[in-house]
Amino acid sequence: DAGVIQSPRHEVTEMGQEVTLRCKPISGHNSLFWYRQTMMRGLELLIYFNNNVPIDDSGMPEDRFSAKMPNASFSTLKIQPSEPRDSAVYFCASSKGAPSTQYFGPGTRLLVL
Amino acid sequence: SQQGEEDPQALSIQEGENATMNCSYKTSINNLQWYRQNSGRGLVHLILIRSNEREKHSGRLRVTLDTSKKSSSLLITASRAADTASYFCATENYGGSQGNLIFGKGTKLSVKP
């Protein structure tokens, strides 16, 4: 299996621009998680889906962030408009069943100038 | 919100020595997991211990769980330079949403050759 796939791996953009991060979970996994990691705040859960349905989005920082999972094999995290404080590494992870072991993608390193 | 708190925050040892990392948590759990993160990479699952288990082994890894003290420890024996990474504990909370893990801030382990 290819593992969790994320794209792009690196993104540099200017403040105010829209950023879209993409994730393909492992085939057969029914839960998908978006995390953000910074030195200051550590690993933060932004949102997670179960069977394509958002279960908990309480970690989404503000209305500038949105996430979708149109089908079991694809999810997006969008930031619009982006701000310098959004600079971080964004991870996608997927899991199946219980107990849940999460499989992480390689991450997208985002820099907002 | 953070559930697990790892201790110490950073640990530096010589190759061949044992490394012990501790994790404390606050609420009842279904299981506790340990993950490793190499610099610039996604997290990788190491081992899972269920709430009714007290000790588990996997290769050079030994995990203990004390639910009365709400704490866990990860022991890496005969450490190698390749073990240099950050180590995170994560809890799946009892009564929480299935699959949702709460991660701690991690212990940064440095193994010197």
Side-chain angles (χ1 to χ4, degrees), chain B residues 10 19 27 50-51 53 72 89-90 92-93 97 101 108 110 112:
Chain B
T27 61
R50 299 173 191 263
S51 60
E53 296 176 313
S72 173
C89 69
E92 181 176 338
N93 294 346
S97 299
L101 298 178
K108 195 166 186 176
S110 175
K112 300 178 180 178

Side-chain angles (χ1 to χ4, degrees), chain A residues 9 31 33 35 37 40-43 45 48 55-56 91 95 97-106 109, chain B residues 2 31 33 35 37 39-45 48 50 88 92 96-105 108:
Chain A
R9 293 293 309 277
S31 294
F33 306 82
Y35 292 92
Q37 187 177 40
M40 291 294 293
R41 300 173 69 90
L43 191 68
L45 176 67
Y48 79 96
I55 302 300
D56 184 354
F91 289 103
S95 70
S100 59
T101 295
Q102 293 186 13
Y103 295 80
F104 281 73
R109 192 171 295 272
Chain B
Q2 297 289 345
N31 64 72
Q33 304 177 33
Y35 288 76
Q37 184 180 32
S39 181
R41 304 285 186 91
L43 280 71
V44 174
H45 178 260
L48 178 152
R50 299 173 191 263
F88 295 83
E92 181 176 338
S97 299
Q98 180 181 321
N100 186 18
L101 298 178
I102 310 297
F103 285 85
K105 292 191 175 182
K108 195 166 186 176

Side-chain angles (χ1 to χ4, degrees), chain A residues 33-89:
Chain A
F33 306 82
W34 281 102
Y35 292 92
R36 177 172 69 176
Q37 187 177 40
T38 62
M39 290 292 291
M40 291 294 293
R41 300 173 69 90
L43 191 68
E44 302 174 277
L45 176 67
L46 300 177
I47 184 171
Y48 79 96
F49 296 83
N50 194 34
N51 295 321
N52 311 339
V53 176
I55 302 300
D56 184 354
D57 66 354
S58 60
M60 296 285 261
E62 48 200 90
D63 292 346
R64 298 185 297 108
F65 285 68
S66 63
K68 292 182 180 179
M69 192 164 186
N71 57 62
S73 58
F74 184 65
S75 177
T76 60
L77 178 67
K78 187 174 292 187
I79 308 172
Q80 165 64 17
S82 59
E83 297 182 2
R85 60 190 167 125
D86 301 330
S87 297
V89 182

Side-chain angles (χ1 to χ4, degrees), chain B residues 72-84:
Chain B
S72 173
S73 67
L74 171 67
L75 168 68
I76 303 174
T77 59
S79 64
R80 305 166 182 168
D83 295 328
T84 294

